[in-house]
């Protein structure tokens, strides 16, 4: 997960539904607060620092979940960054960071969880993408490319899974989150403020994740797109 709004809302919803959680993100102070509040409400949760760009870190994270709970039934790959800018700005370091987190991070999660799920006879991979997996807008070419990639990876995994591992892609429209806080390009940042004037609560995405994983084993909810009702994008 990430420890920002969608990740936090998803953790709280799944804990309330009775799932036992291991939360991972780079910001451990925030994670610890979430875990404390979940356990105080009667849920089961623990936290571990996680950098999804490091394959070994993700492997250790999934191994820790399996050791703690005996199984890994669901992994939610939610970490993401969105440093928008026109391509001509040549912010190549931002491009590489976006690819590292948004694409490699998902692949690292799959690589860590899939062998565990295969060995135990099943599991569920949930990848959080974006409406940017379905459309491209100015300043968002690299970001959208990463989300198109997550969509393609998810569909490929679904086709290869032969029914034992379920795969869900959740694509949020404009949602309350901290993604836009990392936009350094002034024009892109101003445009995103206008674009995000109408936003979903993070709980709407958490509800979509909970719906997908609550289905019976023979039902595989493959794609969910969630937009504000007033959105025209």
């Amino acid at each position: 997960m990430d420890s920002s709004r969608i990740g936090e809302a998803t953790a709280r919803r799944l804990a309330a539904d009775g799932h036992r959680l291991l939360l991972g993100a780079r910001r451990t102070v925030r994670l610890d607060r979430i875990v404390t509040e979940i356990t105080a409400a009667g849920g089961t949760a623990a936290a571990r620092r996680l950098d999804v760009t490091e394959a070994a870190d993700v492997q250790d994270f999934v191994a820790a979940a399996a050791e703690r709970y005996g199984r890994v039934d669901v992994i939610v790959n939610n970490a993401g960054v969105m440093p928008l800018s026109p391509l001509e700005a040549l912010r190549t370091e931002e491009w590489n960071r976006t690819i590292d987190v948004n694409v490699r991070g998902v692949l690292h999660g799959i690589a860590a969880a899939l062998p565990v799920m295969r060995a135990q006879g099943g599991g569920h991979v949930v990848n959080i993408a974006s409406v940017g997996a379905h459309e491209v807008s100015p300043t968002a070419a690299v970001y959208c490319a990463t989300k198109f990639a997550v969509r393609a990876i998810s569909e490929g995994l679904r086709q290869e899974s032969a029914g034992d591992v379920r795969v869900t892609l959740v694509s949020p429209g404009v949602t309350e989150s901290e993604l836009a806080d990392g936009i350094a390009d002034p024009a892109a940042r101003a445009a995103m403020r206008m674009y995000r004037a109408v936003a979903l609560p993070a709980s709407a995405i958490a509800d979509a994740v909970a719906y997908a994983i609550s289905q019976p084993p023979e039902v595989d909810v493959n794609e969910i797109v969630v937009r504000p009702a007033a959105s025209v994008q």
Side-chain angles (χ1 to χ4, degrees), residues 84-85 87 130-149 151 195 227 233:
L84 307 185
S85 64
L87 289 171
S130 164
V131 292
H134 302 262
E135 61 191 35
V136 181
S137 56
T139 76
V142 175
Y143 173 75
C144 291
T146 65
K147 295 305 183 178
F148 269 75
R151 187 180 177 201
Y195 181 78
R227 292 183 173 93
Q233 278 84 14

Side-chain angles (χ1 to χ4, degrees), residues 29 40 57 99 131 146 150 158 162 164 183 205 214 221 223:
V29 172
D57 206 14
I99 293 166
V131 292
T146 65
V150 172
R158 182 195 69 81
D164 58 343
I183 300 175
I205 311 308
S214 69
V221 178
E223 290 198 40

Side-chain angles (χ1 to χ4, degrees), residues 6 51 60 115:
I6 290 176
D51 182 349
D60 290 345

Side-chain angles (χ1 to χ4, degrees), residues 22-199:
L22 181 63
L23 311 182
R26 289 178 297 110
R27 295 175 289 189
T28 56
V29 172
R30 197 165 182 174
L31 278 184
D32 291 340
R33 173 183 58 81
I34 297 168
V35 167
T36 297
E37 293 173 0
I38 285 174
T39 54
T44 301
R48 181 186 176 101
R49 189 186 183 281
L50 173 64
D51 182 349
V52 300
T53 67
E54 297 291 338
D57 206 14
V58 183
Q59 290 282 348
D60 290 345
F61 177 82
V62 171
E67 182 178 359
R68 175 178 288 269
Y69 298 125
R71 295 178 58 87
V72 177
D73 291 310
V74 180
I75 183 169
V76 180
N77 292 310
N78 179 54
V81 294
M82 190 179 68
L84 307 185
S85 64
L87 289 171
E88 66 180 1
L90 302 179
R91 295 179 179 269
T92 55
E93 290 186 6
E94 289 186 351
W95 301 349
N96 289 333
R97 174 65 176 167
T98 304
I99 293 166
D100 284 344
V101 176
N102 294 3
V103 180
R104 290 193 176 93
V106 169
L107 288 170
H108 292 162
I110 292 170
L114 194 57
V116 176
M117 292 178 176
R118 295 275 196 225
Q120 69 191 17
H124 197 151
V125 176
V126 179
N127 295 327
I128 306 299
S130 164
V131 292
H134 302 262
E135 61 191 35
V136 181
S137 56
T139 76
V142 175
Y143 173 75
C144 291
T146 65
K147 295 305 183 178
F148 269 75
V150 172
R151 187 180 177 201
I153 290 164
S154 301
E155 175 59 11
L157 180 60
R158 182 195 69 81
Q159 293 183 21
E160 295 173 7
S161 292
D164 58 343
V165 175
R166 299 189 295 177
V167 182
T168 299
L169 180 78
V170 178
S171 295
V174 179
T175 305
E176 295 172 350
S177 75
E178 298 176 354
L179 273 178
D181 295 349
I183 300 175
D185 184 87
R189 187 168 59 248
M192 185 52 57
R193 285 199 188 102
M194 294 181 61
Y195 181 78
R196 300 178 70 83
V198 178

